[in-house]
Amino acid sequence: MSSHHQEARARNYWFPAKRYGWGWGAPCAWQGWLVIAVFLALLVAGTLLLSAEQAPLLFMAYTAALGVALLAICWLKGEPPRWRWGATNR
């Protein structure tokens, strides 16, 4: 595990910031992995239960709601997002 992940875990973040760019990387805590697993399970369930051909707006709304929920959890439980250039002192 990289020192960046260890630092994020020490601060109780579920999602560490990416080393380059804006946003979050792979989870560094089991809670983050659980969030990703539930997100994917709900996405698959929605694909199986909601017909994108019969109700495309409902399917798009469901998928968008899942995406917004994942983004909100990352925002609340992840490192504060900002643009990163790879150096630890920036």
Side-chain angles (χ1 to χ4, degrees):
M1 184 179 298
S2 71
S3 63
H4 185 69
H5 273 88
Q6 290 172 347
E7 181 181 325
R9 290 186 86 184
R11 294 185 181 184
N12 293 321
Y13 291 130
W14 295 357
F15 302 94
K18 292 175 19 177
R19 186 173 305 262
Y20 294 95
W22 191 92
W24 303 276
C28 64
W30 69 267
Q31 296 95 332
W33 287 110
L34 180 63
V35 167
I36 297 297
V38 169
F39 170 78
L40 291 174
L42 289 173
L43 194 60
V44 169
T47 302
L48 297 174
L49 298 174
L50 301 173
S51 173
E53 292 178 0
Q54 293 177 354
L57 292 179
L58 178 62
F59 181 75
M60 287 190 306
Y62 176 77
T63 304
L66 286 179
V68 168
L70 179 61
L71 183 62
I73 292 170
C74 288
W75 192 277
L76 293 171
K77 299 305 292 180
E79 282 188 78
R82 63 180 172 85
W83 190 263
R84 298 173 194 273
W85 294 98
T88 58
N89 61 354
R90 288 189 181 189

